[in-house]
Amino acid sequence: MTTELESVSDFRERARIWLRDNMPPATASSELKADSEEAWDRARQLQRILYDGGFAGICFPSEYGGLGLTPAHQKAFTKESVGYELPLILNVPTLAICAATLVDIGTDEQKRAHLPAVLKGEEVLVQFLSEPNGGSDLAGLTTRAERDGDRWLLNGSKIWSSGAYAADYGLCLARTNWDVPKHRGLTLFLVPVHAPGVTIQRIKQVTGSTEFCQEFFDDVSLPLEAVLGEVDAGWEAASRLLNHERAALGGTSPYISGATPHMGAEAVSLVELAKATGQWEDSRVREDIGEARAMNVVRDQLIAHVTRSIISGALPPSAGSITRLFSAENACLQTDMAVRIAGSIAATQAPGDPVDTEKVGLDYLFRAAWSLAGGSTEMARNVISERVLGMPREYAADRDVPFNQVKRGR
Ligand SMILES: Cc1cc2nc3c(=O)[nH]c(=O)nc-3n(C[C@H](O)[C@H](O)[C@H](O)COP(=O)(O)OP(=O)(O)OC[C@H]3O[C@@H](n4cnc5c(N)ncnc54)[C@H](O)[C@@H]3O)c2cc1C
């Protein structure tokens, strides 16, 4: 028997009323930074309210605690949610990347164990992919997992793991076979972040944020059920995860709930900034604002087009790289425009200044991150050329060489 899906307009109306009656309005103080424990506790509480109200996991399968609805339902909810406090920091990577990968490749037991917990705000999931020796050559990683009877022993180090200190599990890609070429000897594991043998260090960025972490694994014992996907087929698992990551960062993911500013750079209104600094009548400033606005309109149209094309199969899932690339370039443009308008006060914010430009300055310091997060923009160009346009693959000297024979720097 098939049950009729609620229409998007009925769902939207129900969401509008429920949000009004149940979710707190967003205030400046509700924008807690992801480097405070308080922010994560608050996000877990808000996620629980969404779950209890029947508005969590809109596109997640209903047998694992979601609503099993369509991206159009999710979009309608997100539109209605503007102005309310939502657990936005759970979107990436927990929901849109890690839980989405679990939906794709988890066993029934793994999905039952983790997806409802994630949707209730009881579990935060993060990604353990990048390593101190580099992140772009993901398949060249050297964190190892060795089979020891009925368990795996994990050793090595991961870095740039967003929010790991506040998480429960990390999706960790490790090398399990050194006798085969690099893409064929990897396995994806679900690693409890606070297991014995895991040491987490927080990294302080130039912005002052300590959200990034580095993890050290020393003989971390994992049960056989910790394997996500198949042993030695971690590259297939990671490819799915990376598609979800590109979709999340490019704005095409159906698993993101609530209006997250695209790539972080629109929080300060350029119009507000121009008015507060007495430049609203300046034609150059108006042109800059027009250009920035046009880029946002193009970005939104591009996201809508690419999303539709991926859903219809006209474009492969790796086409998420197109919007991921555009969003990164646009984030830099928006940030640069804000600094051009603010001028020196972007760097010297002080009490009594006509407008709060602290965020403008901090966004500028962080701007390079948008060309790296979720794979660099250079790698996004490679993905577009090779997997969307079908151009020849980039040469790699180590592609078919057993990994234990590949020369590696120290
Ligand atoms: C905000 C943010 C959040 C992040 N969160 C996480 C996380 O949660 N978990 C995680 O595991 N990682 C995370 N990362 C790390 C991110 O995945 C890496 O920064 C990214 O993959 C690039 O790796 P790298 O920094 O080691 O640069 P490298 O791989 O060392 O590359 C350095 C430069 O060389 C270029 N380059 C490398 N290879 C090529 C090539 N073949 N062709 C052309 N150019 C090339 C790159 O584009 C880059 O500009 C995060 C990064 C940021 C900025």
Short mmCIF file of all heavy atoms in Angstrom, two decimals, residues 173-230:
data_model
loop_
_atom_site.label_atom_id
_atom_site.label_comp_id
_atom_site.label_asym_id
_atom_site.label_seq_id
_atom_site.Cartn_x
_atom_site.Cartn_y
_atom_site.Cartn_z
N LEU A 173 38.66 7.61 7.12
CA LEU A 173 39.17 6.82 6.00
C LEU A 173 40.59 6.38 6.35
O LEU A 173 41.43 7.23 6.68
CB LEU A 173 39.15 7.67 4.72
CG LEU A 173 39.30 6.95 3.40
CD1 LEU A 173 38.17 5.95 3.17
CD2 LEU A 173 39.33 7.96 2.25
N ALA A 174 40.84 5.06 6.29
CA ALA A 174 42.16 4.55 6.69
C ALA A 174 42.63 3.51 5.68
O ALA A 174 41.83 2.90 4.97
CB ALA A 174 42.08 3.93 8.07
N ARG A 175 43.96 3.32 5.66
CA ARG A 175 44.52 2.32 4.73
C ARG A 175 44.50 0.95 5.38
O ARG A 175 45.01 0.78 6.50
CB ARG A 175 45.96 2.72 4.32
CG ARG A 175 46.51 1.84 3.22
CD ARG A 175 47.70 2.47 2.52
NE ARG A 175 47.39 3.79 1.99
CZ ARG A 175 46.72 4.02 0.87
NH1 ARG A 175 46.28 3.02 0.14
NH2 ARG A 175 46.48 5.27 0.48
N THR A 176 43.91 -0.02 4.69
CA THR A 176 43.82 -1.38 5.22
C THR A 176 44.60 -2.37 4.36
O THR A 176 44.74 -3.52 4.73
CB THR A 176 42.34 -1.82 5.31
OG1 THR A 176 41.63 -1.38 4.14
CG2 THR A 176 41.67 -1.24 6.53
N ASN A 177 45.08 -1.92 3.20
CA ASN A 177 45.84 -2.82 2.33
C ASN A 177 46.91 -1.99 1.62
O ASN A 177 46.59 -1.10 0.84
CB ASN A 177 44.89 -3.49 1.32
CG ASN A 177 45.59 -4.56 0.52
OD1 ASN A 177 46.83 -4.62 0.48
ND2 ASN A 177 44.81 -5.42 -0.11
N TRP A 178 48.19 -2.33 1.87
CA TRP A 178 49.30 -1.55 1.32
C TRP A 178 49.87 -2.21 0.06
O TRP A 178 50.78 -1.68 -0.57
CB TRP A 178 50.42 -1.40 2.37
CG TRP A 178 49.95 -0.63 3.57
CD1 TRP A 178 49.01 -1.04 4.47
CD2 TRP A 178 50.35 0.68 3.98
NE1 TRP A 178 48.80 -0.06 5.42
CE2 TRP A 178 49.62 1.00 5.15
CE3 TRP A 178 51.26 1.63 3.48
CZ2 TRP A 178 49.76 2.22 5.82
CZ3 TRP A 178 51.42 2.84 4.16
CH2 TRP A 178 50.67 3.12 5.30
N ASP A 179 49.34 -3.38 -0.31
CA ASP A 179 49.90 -4.12 -1.44
C ASP A 179 49.21 -3.81 -2.76
O ASP A 179 49.54 -4.40 -3.79
CB ASP A 179 49.74 -5.65 -1.19
CG ASP A 179 50.46 -6.06 0.08
OD1 ASP A 179 51.50 -5.44 0.39
OD2 ASP A 179 49.97 -6.98 0.77
N VAL A 180 48.20 -2.94 -2.73
CA VAL A 180 47.45 -2.62 -3.95
C VAL A 180 47.55 -1.12 -4.21
O VAL A 180 47.93 -0.36 -3.31
CB VAL A 180 45.95 -3.02 -3.78
CG1 VAL A 180 45.80 -4.54 -3.73
CG2 VAL A 180 45.35 -2.38 -2.54
N PRO A 181 47.24 -0.66 -5.44
CA PRO A 181 47.29 0.78 -5.71
C PRO A 181 46.42 1.58 -4.74
O PRO A 181 45.45 1.05 -4.18
CB PRO A 181 46.78 0.88 -7.15
CG PRO A 181 47.13 -0.43 -7.75
CD PRO A 181 46.96 -1.43 -6.65
N LYS A 182 46.75 2.86 -4.59
CA LYS A 182 46.25 3.64 -3.46
C LYS A 182 44.73 3.67 -3.33
O LYS A 182 44.22 3.66 -2.21
CB LYS A 182 46.81 5.06 -3.52
CG LYS A 182 46.44 5.89 -4.74
CD LYS A 182 47.06 7.28 -4.64
CE LYS A 182 46.67 8.15 -5.82
NZ LYS A 182 47.21 9.51 -5.72
N HIS A 183 44.01 3.71 -4.46
CA HIS A 183 42.55 3.80 -4.35
C HIS A 183 41.90 2.50 -3.89
O HIS A 183 40.75 2.49 -3.50
CB HIS A 183 41.92 4.19 -5.70
CG HIS A 183 42.24 5.59 -6.12
ND1 HIS A 183 43.31 5.90 -6.92
CD2 HIS A 183 41.64 6.77 -5.84
CE1 HIS A 183 43.36 7.20 -7.12
NE2 HIS A 183 42.36 7.76 -6.48
N ARG A 184 42.65 1.38 -3.97
CA ARG A 184 42.02 0.08 -3.72
C ARG A 184 42.27 -0.49 -2.34
O ARG A 184 41.80 -1.58 -2.03
CB ARG A 184 42.47 -0.91 -4.80
CG ARG A 184 41.84 -0.57 -6.14
CD ARG A 184 42.03 -1.71 -7.11
NE ARG A 184 42.78 -1.26 -8.28
CZ ARG A 184 43.67 -1.97 -8.92
NH1 ARG A 184 43.97 -3.19 -8.51
NH2 ARG A 184 44.27 -1.48 -9.97
N GLY A 185 43.03 0.23 -1.51
CA GLY A 185 43.38 -0.34 -0.21
C GLY A 185 42.84 0.46 0.96
O GLY A 185 43.43 0.47 2.04
N LEU A 186 41.71 1.14 0.75
CA LEU A 186 41.17 2.02 1.82
C LEU A 186 39.87 1.46 2.37
O LEU A 186 39.13 0.78 1.66
CB LEU A 186 40.91 3.42 1.25
CG LEU A 186 42.11 4.13 0.64
CD1 LEU A 186 41.66 5.38 -0.12
CD2 LEU A 186 43.12 4.52 1.72
N THR A 187 39.58 1.79 3.64
CA THR A 187 38.32 1.38 4.25
C THR A 187 37.80 2.55 5.08
O THR A 187 38.58 3.27 5.73
CB THR A 187 38.53 0.14 5.15
OG1 THR A 187 39.08 -0.91 4.35
CG2 THR A 187 37.21 -0.34 5.77
N LEU A 188 36.48 2.74 5.05
CA LEU A 188 35.87 3.81 5.85
C LEU A 188 35.36 3.21 7.16
O LEU A 188 34.68 2.18 7.15
CB LEU A 188 34.71 4.45 5.07
CG LEU A 188 34.11 5.73 5.64
CD1 LEU A 188 35.12 6.88 5.69
CD2 LEU A 188 32.88 6.18 4.83
N PHE A 189 35.70 3.86 8.28
CA PHE A 189 35.30 3.37 9.60
C PHE A 189 34.48 4.43 10.34
O PHE A 189 34.69 5.63 10.15
CB PHE A 189 36.54 3.08 10.47
CG PHE A 189 37.37 1.93 10.00
CD1 PHE A 189 38.40 2.13 9.08
CD2 PHE A 189 37.14 0.64 10.46
CE1 PHE A 189 39.18 1.06 8.63
CE2 PHE A 189 37.91 -0.43 10.03
CZ PHE A 189 38.93 -0.21 9.11
N LEU A 190 33.59 3.94 11.19
CA LEU A 190 32.89 4.81 12.12
C LEU A 190 33.65 4.75 13.44
O LEU A 190 33.61 3.73 14.13
CB LEU A 190 31.47 4.29 12.36
CG LEU A 190 30.32 4.94 11.63
CD1 LEU A 190 29.07 4.10 11.79
CD2 LEU A 190 30.06 6.35 12.14
N VAL A 191 34.34 5.83 13.79
CA VAL A 191 35.22 5.81 14.96
C VAL A 191 34.60 6.63 16.10
O VAL A 191 34.32 7.82 15.91
CB VAL A 191 36.60 6.41 14.59
CG1 VAL A 191 37.51 6.47 15.80
CG2 VAL A 191 37.24 5.60 13.47
N PRO A 192 34.41 6.00 17.29
CA PRO A 192 33.92 6.81 18.42
C PRO A 192 34.99 7.83 18.80
O PRO A 192 36.15 7.47 19.04
CB PRO A 192 33.74 5.78 19.55
CG PRO A 192 33.88 4.44 18.91
CD PRO A 192 34.66 4.61 17.65
N VAL A 193 34.62 9.10 18.80
CA VAL A 193 35.60 10.17 18.98
C VAL A 193 36.26 10.09 20.35
O VAL A 193 37.42 10.48 20.51
CB VAL A 193 34.89 11.53 18.78
CG1 VAL A 193 35.76 12.69 19.23
CG2 VAL A 193 34.50 11.70 17.31
N HIS A 194 35.54 9.56 21.34
CA HIS A 194 36.11 9.56 22.69
C HIS A 194 36.57 8.16 23.11
O HIS A 194 36.65 7.87 24.30
CB HIS A 194 35.11 10.16 23.67
CG HIS A 194 34.71 11.56 23.25
ND1 HIS A 194 35.59 12.61 23.31
CD2 HIS A 194 33.58 12.05 22.70
CE1 HIS A 194 35.01 13.70 22.82
NE2 HIS A 194 33.78 13.39 22.45
N ALA A 195 36.90 7.32 22.12
CA ALA A 195 37.39 5.96 22.44
C ALA A 195 38.79 6.05 23.05
O ALA A 195 39.54 6.99 22.75
CB ALA A 195 37.42 5.13 21.16
N PRO A 196 39.17 5.04 23.86
CA PRO A 196 40.55 5.02 24.37
C PRO A 196 41.53 5.00 23.19
O PRO A 196 41.30 4.31 22.20
CB PRO A 196 40.62 3.70 25.16
CG PRO A 196 39.20 3.34 25.45
CD PRO A 196 38.36 3.92 24.35
N GLY A 197 42.59 5.80 23.30
CA GLY A 197 43.59 5.84 22.23
C GLY A 197 43.39 7.00 21.27
O GLY A 197 44.24 7.27 20.43
N VAL A 198 42.25 7.74 21.40
CA VAL A 198 42.05 8.92 20.54
C VAL A 198 42.41 10.17 21.36
O VAL A 198 41.88 10.37 22.45
CB VAL A 198 40.59 9.06 20.07
CG1 VAL A 198 40.43 10.28 19.15
CG2 VAL A 198 40.11 7.80 19.37
N THR A 199 43.35 10.95 20.83
CA THR A 199 43.70 12.23 21.49
C THR A 199 43.30 13.35 20.54
O THR A 199 43.64 13.30 19.36
CB THR A 199 45.22 12.31 21.74
OG1 THR A 199 45.63 11.14 22.43
CG2 THR A 199 45.59 13.54 22.56
N ILE A 200 42.56 14.33 21.07
CA ILE A 200 42.11 15.44 20.21
C ILE A 200 42.78 16.73 20.67
O ILE A 200 42.77 17.06 21.85
CB ILE A 200 40.58 15.61 20.30
CG1 ILE A 200 39.90 14.34 19.82
CG2 ILE A 200 40.12 16.81 19.50
CD1 ILE A 200 38.43 14.47 19.62
N GLN A 201 43.36 17.43 19.70
CA GLN A 201 43.92 18.76 20.00
C GLN A 201 43.19 19.78 19.17
O GLN A 201 42.97 19.57 17.98
CB GLN A 201 45.40 18.80 19.62
CG GLN A 201 46.28 18.21 20.68
CD GLN A 201 47.76 18.22 20.29
OE1 GLN A 201 48.14 18.83 19.28
NE2 GLN A 201 48.56 17.54 21.07
N ARG A 202 42.83 20.89 19.79
CA ARG A 202 42.15 21.94 19.03
C ARG A 202 43.19 22.88 18.42
O ARG A 202 44.26 23.09 18.98
CB ARG A 202 41.18 22.67 19.96
CG ARG A 202 40.07 21.73 20.36
CD ARG A 202 39.15 22.30 21.38
NE ARG A 202 38.29 23.35 20.82
CZ ARG A 202 37.28 23.88 21.49
NH1 ARG A 202 37.00 23.45 22.72
NH2 ARG A 202 36.54 24.82 20.94
N ILE A 203 42.85 23.41 17.23
CA ILE A 203 43.79 24.26 16.49
C ILE A 203 43.23 25.68 16.50
O ILE A 203 42.05 25.88 16.19
CB ILE A 203 43.91 23.78 15.02
CG1 ILE A 203 44.42 22.35 14.97
CG2 ILE A 203 44.80 24.72 14.22
CD1 ILE A 203 44.32 21.71 13.58
N LYS A 204 44.07 26.65 16.83
CA LYS A 204 43.60 28.04 16.83
C LYS A 204 43.89 28.69 15.48
O LYS A 204 45.03 28.69 15.02
CB LYS A 204 44.29 28.83 17.94
CG LYS A 204 43.68 30.18 18.14
CD LYS A 204 44.07 30.76 19.47
CE LYS A 204 43.34 32.07 19.68
NZ LYS A 204 43.65 32.69 20.95
N GLN A 205 42.84 29.22 14.85
CA GLN A 205 43.02 29.87 13.55
C GLN A 205 43.31 31.36 13.73
O GLN A 205 43.13 31.91 14.81
CB GLN A 205 41.73 29.78 12.73
CG GLN A 205 41.33 28.38 12.36
CD GLN A 205 39.92 28.39 11.80
OE1 GLN A 205 39.60 29.17 10.94
NE2 GLN A 205 39.07 27.53 12.32
N VAL A 206 43.67 31.99 12.62
CA VAL A 206 43.98 33.43 12.64
C VAL A 206 42.75 34.25 13.09
O VAL A 206 42.88 35.33 13.64
CB VAL A 206 44.51 33.88 11.25
CG1 VAL A 206 43.44 33.78 10.19
CG2 VAL A 206 45.07 35.28 11.31
N THR A 207 41.55 33.70 12.88
CA THR A 207 40.34 34.41 13.31
C THR A 207 40.09 34.27 14.81
O THR A 207 39.17 34.87 15.35
CB THR A 207 39.10 33.81 12.61
OG1 THR A 207 39.07 32.40 12.90
CG2 THR A 207 39.13 34.01 11.12
N GLY A 208 40.87 33.41 15.47
CA GLY A 208 40.67 33.15 16.90
C GLY A 208 39.82 31.91 17.14
O GLY A 208 39.77 31.40 18.25
N SER A 209 39.17 31.40 16.10
CA SER A 209 38.30 30.23 16.27
C SER A 209 39.13 28.98 16.58
O SER A 209 40.23 28.80 16.04
CB SER A 209 37.50 29.99 14.99
OG SER A 209 36.92 28.70 15.04
N THR A 210 38.58 28.13 17.44
CA THR A 210 39.27 26.86 17.75
C THR A 210 38.38 25.67 17.37
O THR A 210 38.36 24.65 18.03
CB THR A 210 39.63 26.78 19.25
OG1 THR A 210 38.45 27.06 20.00
CG2 THR A 210 40.73 27.73 19.62
N GLU A 211 37.61 25.85 16.29
CA GLU A 211 36.71 24.78 15.88
C GLU A 211 37.45 23.59 15.25
O GLU A 211 37.05 22.45 15.38
CB GLU A 211 35.70 25.35 14.87
CG GLU A 211 34.56 24.40 14.61
CD GLU A 211 33.82 24.66 13.31
OE1 GLU A 211 34.06 25.71 12.68
OE2 GLU A 211 33.03 23.79 12.90
N PHE A 212 38.55 23.88 14.53
CA PHE A 212 39.32 22.81 13.89
C PHE A 212 40.06 21.96 14.92
O PHE A 212 40.53 22.48 15.93
CB PHE A 212 40.41 23.40 12.99
CG PHE A 212 39.94 23.81 11.64
CD1 PHE A 212 40.45 24.96 11.06
CD2 PHE A 212 39.05 23.05 10.92
CE1 PHE A 212 40.06 25.36 9.80
CE2 PHE A 212 38.65 23.44 9.65
CZ PHE A 212 39.16 24.59 9.10
N CYS A 213 40.19 20.67 14.62
CA CYS A 213 40.92 19.78 15.52
C CYS A 213 41.91 18.92 14.75
O CYS A 213 41.75 18.70 13.55
CB CYS A 213 39.95 18.84 16.24
SG CYS A 213 38.73 19.68 17.23
N GLN A 214 42.90 18.43 15.49
CA GLN A 214 43.75 17.36 14.97
C GLN A 214 43.57 16.17 15.91
O GLN A 214 43.51 16.34 17.13
CB GLN A 214 45.23 17.78 14.94
CG GLN A 214 46.12 16.63 14.44
CD GLN A 214 47.55 17.04 14.11
OE1 GLN A 214 47.97 18.16 14.37
NE2 GLN A 214 48.31 16.11 13.52
N GLU A 215 43.48 14.97 15.35
CA GLU A 215 43.30 13.77 16.17
C GLU A 215 44.52 12.87 15.98
O GLU A 215 45.07 12.78 14.88
CB GLU A 215 42.06 12.95 15.75
CG GLU A 215 40.77 13.71 15.83
CD GLU A 215 40.57 14.67 14.69
OE1 GLU A 215 41.08 14.37 13.58
OE2 GLU A 215 39.96 15.73 14.88
N PHE A 216 44.90 12.22 17.06
CA PHE A 216 45.97 11.22 17.02
C PHE A 216 45.35 9.89 17.46
O PHE A 216 44.66 9.84 18.48
CB PHE A 216 47.10 11.62 17.97
CG PHE A 216 47.70 12.96 17.61
CD1 PHE A 216 47.18 14.13 18.15
CD2 PHE A 216 48.75 13.04 16.71
CE1 PHE A 216 47.71 15.37 17.81
CE2 PHE A 216 49.28 14.28 16.36
CZ PHE A 216 48.75 15.44 16.90
N PHE A 217 45.59 8.85 16.66
CA PHE A 217 45.04 7.52 16.98
C PHE A 217 46.20 6.59 17.37
O PHE A 217 47.12 6.38 16.56
CB PHE A 217 44.32 6.93 15.76
CG PHE A 217 43.28 7.84 15.17
CD1 PHE A 217 43.42 8.35 13.88
CD2 PHE A 217 42.15 8.21 15.90
CE1 PHE A 217 42.47 9.19 13.33
CE2 PHE A 217 41.19 9.05 15.35
CZ PHE A 217 41.36 9.55 14.07
N ASP A 218 46.12 6.08 18.57
CA ASP A 218 47.15 5.14 19.04
C ASP A 218 46.50 3.83 19.42
O ASP A 218 45.88 3.73 20.48
CB ASP A 218 47.89 5.73 20.26
CG ASP A 218 48.68 6.97 19.87
OD1 ASP A 218 49.58 6.84 19.03
OD2 ASP A 218 48.35 8.07 20.37
N ASP A 219 46.64 2.85 18.53
CA ASP A 219 46.04 1.51 18.78
C ASP A 219 44.59 1.61 19.22
O ASP A 219 44.17 0.99 20.20
CB ASP A 219 46.85 0.74 19.85
CG ASP A 219 48.11 0.11 19.25
OD1 ASP A 219 48.13 -0.09 18.01
OD2 ASP A 219 49.04 -0.14 20.01
N VAL A 220 43.81 2.40 18.48
CA VAL A 220 42.38 2.52 18.79
C VAL A 220 41.68 1.24 18.33
O VAL A 220 41.78 0.85 17.16
CB VAL A 220 41.76 3.75 18.07
CG1 VAL A 220 40.26 3.83 18.37
CG2 VAL A 220 42.46 5.02 18.50
N SER A 221 41.02 0.57 19.27
CA SER A 221 40.41 -0.73 18.97
C SER A 221 38.99 -0.51 18.45
O SER A 221 38.16 0.11 19.11
CB SER A 221 40.41 -1.55 20.26
OG SER A 221 39.73 -2.75 20.04
N LEU A 222 38.72 -1.06 17.25
CA LEU A 222 37.40 -0.89 16.64
C LEU A 222 36.78 -2.25 16.37
O LEU A 222 37.47 -3.15 15.86
CB LEU A 222 37.52 -0.13 15.31
CG LEU A 222 38.13 1.26 15.37
CD1 LEU A 222 38.37 1.77 13.94
CD2 LEU A 222 37.20 2.21 16.11
N PRO A 223 35.49 -2.43 16.65
CA PRO A 223 34.85 -3.71 16.32
C PRO A 223 34.71 -3.86 14.81
O PRO A 223 34.77 -2.87 14.07
CB PRO A 223 33.47 -3.60 16.98
CG PRO A 223 33.21 -2.13 17.04
CD PRO A 223 34.55 -1.46 17.21
N LEU A 224 34.49 -5.09 14.35
CA LEU A 224 34.37 -5.32 12.90
C LEU A 224 33.19 -4.53 12.32
O LEU A 224 33.21 -4.10 11.17
CB LEU A 224 34.20 -6.81 12.60
CG LEU A 224 35.34 -7.71 13.09
CD1 LEU A 224 35.13 -9.14 12.62
CD2 LEU A 224 36.71 -7.19 12.64
N GLU A 225 32.15 -4.33 13.15
CA GLU A 225 30.96 -3.59 12.67
C GLU A 225 31.23 -2.10 12.47
O GLU A 225 30.35 -1.35 12.00
CB GLU A 225 29.78 -3.68 13.65
CG GLU A 225 29.41 -5.06 14.14
CD GLU A 225 30.32 -5.52 15.27
OE1 GLU A 225 30.24 -4.95 16.36
OE2 GLU A 225 31.12 -6.45 15.04
N ALA A 226 32.44 -1.65 12.82
CA ALA A 226 32.75 -0.23 12.62
C ALA A 226 33.00 0.09 11.15
O ALA A 226 33.06 1.25 10.75
CB ALA A 226 33.97 0.17 13.45
N VAL A 227 33.15 -0.96 10.32
CA VAL A 227 33.42 -0.72 8.89
C VAL A 227 32.14 -0.22 8.21
O VAL A 227 31.07 -0.82 8.35
CB VAL A 227 33.89 -2.02 8.19
CG1 VAL A 227 33.94 -1.83 6.68
CG2 VAL A 227 35.25 -2.42 8.73
N LEU A 228 32.28 0.88 7.49
CA LEU A 228 31.14 1.46 6.76
C LEU A 228 31.37 1.17 5.28
O LEU A 228 32.33 1.65 4.69
CB LEU A 228 31.13 2.96 7.05
CG LEU A 228 29.88 3.77 6.76
CD1 LEU A 228 28.63 3.09 7.27
CD2 LEU A 228 30.03 5.13 7.42
N GLY A 229 30.49 0.36 4.69
CA GLY A 229 30.74 -0.11 3.32
C GLY A 229 31.57 -1.39 3.42
O GLY A 229 31.50 -2.10 4.41
N GLU A 230 32.37 -1.64 2.38
CA GLU A 230 33.15 -2.89 2.35
C GLU A 230 34.61 -2.61 2.69
O GLU A 230 35.13 -1.53 2.40
CB GLU A 230 33.10 -3.48 0.93
CG GLU A 230 31.71 -3.80 0.43
CD GLU A 230 31.06 -4.93 1.21
OE1 GLU A 230 31.78 -5.87 1.59
OE2 GLU A 230 29.84 -4.85 1.45
#
